[in-house]
Amino acid sequence: MQLLGIDTSTSRVSVAIGGDGDLLGEVALGTPTPRHAEQLAPAIRYLCDETGVELRQLAAIAVGVGPGLFTGLRVGVTTAKVMAQGLRIPVVCVPSLDLVAYPLRYTQRLVAAVLDARRHEVYYALYLPVPGGVQRVSGYEIGSPDDLVGELEARGDEVLIAGEGALRSREQFASLDRAELAGTGFAWPRAAALLELASARYEREEFCSPSDVQPMYLRKSDAEIESERSTGEERVS
Amino acid sequence: MTRILGIETSCDETAAAVVDDGREVLSSVVSSQIDLHARFGGVVPEIASRAHVELLNPVVAEALVEAGTELDGIDAVAACHGPGLAGALLVGVSAAKAIALVADVPYIGVNHLEGHLHAAWLEQPDLQVPAAVLIVSGGHTMVVAMDDLDQYRVLGQTVDDAAGEAFDKVARFLGLGYPGGPAIDRLAATGDPTAIAFPRPMRDEAFDFSFSGLKTAVVNHVRHNPDAEVRDVAASFQEAVVDVLVGKLVAAADACHAKTMIIGGGVGANTRLRTRILDAATDTGREAMLPSPALCTDNAAMIAATAYRRLLSDGPGDLGGGADPNLRLPGR
């Protein structure tokens, strides 16, 4: 059983092919300005060529559905759902924050996965290591780095903070006593982690039909936010 | 025979079509998002991009079913890669590349404006060149000289608002709702187009257009004449826009010795504009080609048809190509 994994929720493009507990290949690309749409399809073709896996052999496509940068996210999600529809296979959706936390499952500490949400905000979720993985103990949240710092202070747990969103705001997290910031090797959601998580879910048939796959945005469009704000004000007055 | 699947997501229509040899339209499916944007009075880019992600799978599936084909029967796949809304374009480009990977066929990126130029040939393959083409929509207003199917140059374009944008803004100001084009078209039919002498902006200056002043003139007139009949305002505004559009198209046709005058773009569905172009063609001894409204507005058949020409002239496109929101046509 082979899966193709795609995550484009950050400035990186990450693609992997593998299955049955074996990673056959992984490509991770990052450029100063995101170029997801340009890089993703050639990366998939390269991986297939080099691993000898044909797309028709795939059992499912796994995709990191965010939260993350909207445009990049849509490139990965659209690619995954359109490919899956063409191949008549299901899609396994995994939140991209889970992909940041999962490789840190061997720590004994609380794990905070943090990705950039722009506008001085971050997407984050908290996890506790459990045998074989991590268990999420918060919602998928959006807030300022200070919101997260406050939440972690209130918990008082020893915490390992990971993700490019945390590295960008490292000064804010420096005030925390019992916290450590994971390095750049753990900063981006990796498709290799996606394949591990998705293989298990595929076995449990936790997948969905390609047309039902949607990015996890967590934030509405500005026009909707503005419109709700003004109707809210009307209601008040 | 070359069968191409085309995808169009440059603005607020999610569209897919299957076209054989750039001529025979087997299917053309368009899912409009008008209702999603109506309450904002215009297209909201982020909402458009999100809707494309939702609508693409069913739209592509329907286009294939209607065409009676499967991905195995497709020889190439094309997407509009500009001009348009950046985030929206990337959804269509990603979808097309995904199909290129799965079906193992070439991917071709197509210029949206080039698509509008070729739409007329889908309905009338024996059109004569040179032709003068007026592309007029919510995002574009330009006249293009086509010396041949693959040889064209932009003669002039709007320096501010597109004509469709002016329709939307005036309709919004008059409280006629969104989209403004069809609303004004309907109401204008009952009004007097000579009631108010609105300015005919830049009618005499080469081939460029300007509509922001006209919009302001409408606003000022209504403010000073609160009792003005809305239908007369609509009809007079529309007449001013149509006067300019037709004037420039005829001037462009004269300049390139056109045998044919063609229209494309969403405003090309305006009934008054269509009538006036037909009249102008008769008056100047030319043929007028007015594609059906479904081919004037954004659609993917024109993308697939243009991709066929690109495939013949340039070969397969680059799987590493992106999108360019400001992509232009050759010319000025």
Side-chain angles (χ1 to χ4, degrees), chain B:
Chain B
M1 196 269 295
T2 305
R3 179 166 291 175
I4 297 183
L5 171 66
I7 294 175
E8 155 68 45
T9 62
S10 66
C11 191
D12 63 338
E13 324 272 10
T14 313
V18 179
V19 177
D20 281 353
D21 292 333
R23 279 196 307 268
E24 198 188 338
V25 181
L26 302 186
S27 67
S28 180
V29 178
V30 180
S31 178
S32 172
Q33 308 172 7
I34 283 176
D35 295 345
L36 293 179
H37 301 283
R39 72 186 173 107
F40 303 104
V43 176
V44 180
E46 178 60 24
I47 292 177
S49 301
R50 292 184 183 194
H52 287 311
V53 176
E54 271 182 53
L55 295 168
L56 247 166
N57 279 48
V59 165
V60 167
E62 197 183 331
L64 291 171
V65 168
E66 251 183 50
T69 188
E70 305 213 1
L71 279 187
D72 292 346
I74 298 291
D75 300 303
V77 58
C80 166
H81 65 169
L85 304 169
L89 289 167
L90 287 175
V91 176
V93 166
S94 300
K97 289 186 184 183
I99 290 168
L101 287 170
V102 168
D104 198 19
V105 295
Y107 159 77
I108 303 154
V110 170
N111 184 320
H112 179 82
L113 297 166
E114 210 179 348
H116 279 306
L117 290 180
H118 285 127
W121 269 265
L122 281 170
E123 284 185 336
Q124 207 171 318
D126 54 353
L127 278 177
Q128 286 195 299
V129 286
V133 190
L134 171 67
I135 300 177
V136 56
S137 68
H140 310 281
T141 304
M142 58 175 65
V143 277
V144 181
M146 276 182 101
D147 297 318
D148 204 345
L149 267 165
D150 290 321
Q151 261 194 314
Y152 39 76
R153 62 210 144 88
V154 177
L155 296 178
Q157 55 195 314
T158 183
V159 297
D160 42 52
D161 289 354
E165 212 176 338
F167 270 99
D168 280 341
K169 287 175 176 171
V170 167
R172 195 174 177 182
F173 174 70
L174 296 176
L176 300 179
Y178 175 85
I184 287 183
D185 193 355
R186 273 193 304 273
L187 189 64
T190 67
D192 175 6
T194 62
I196 307 151
F198 286 125
R200 268 58 175 161
M202 303 188 71
R203 196 163 51 164
D204 303 320
E205 285 165 50
F207 300 108
D208 283 343
F209 302 84
S210 165
F211 291 106
S212 70
L214 173 58
K215 176 196 66 198
T216 310
V218 173
V219 172
N220 287 339
H221 180 86
V222 174
R223 291 224 167 107
H224 293 130
N225 304 277
D227 299 331
E229 285 279 355
V230 176
R231 59 181 176 211
D232 290 342
V233 176
S236 301
F237 159 74
Q238 177 176 275
E239 201 65 13
V241 174
V242 169
D243 261 354
V244 175
L245 293 176
V246 175
K248 301 271 182 189
L249 177 59
V250 171
D254 290 344
C256 67
H257 310 289
K259 296 174 178 159
T260 313
M261 296 196 294
I262 300 173
I263 192 166
V267 180
N270 181 279
T271 49
R272 183 67 184 152
L273 179 59
R274 293 172 81 88
T275 308
R276 289 281 307 277
I277 291 176
L278 283 176
D279 292 348
T282 311
D283 292 348
T284 60
R286 294 188 172 98
E287 190 184 358
M289 172 51 199
L290 311 174
S292 59
L295 271 178
C296 279
T297 49
D298 289 352
N299 66 86
M302 68 182 196
I303 300 300
T306 308
Y308 177 70
R309 310 226 141 258
R310 286 275 79 87
L311 191 63
L312 290 186
S313 61
D314 308 342
D318 177 9
L319 200 58
D324 181 356
N326 303 309
L327 194 62
R328 300 167 76 109
L329 282 178
R332 51 161 320 204

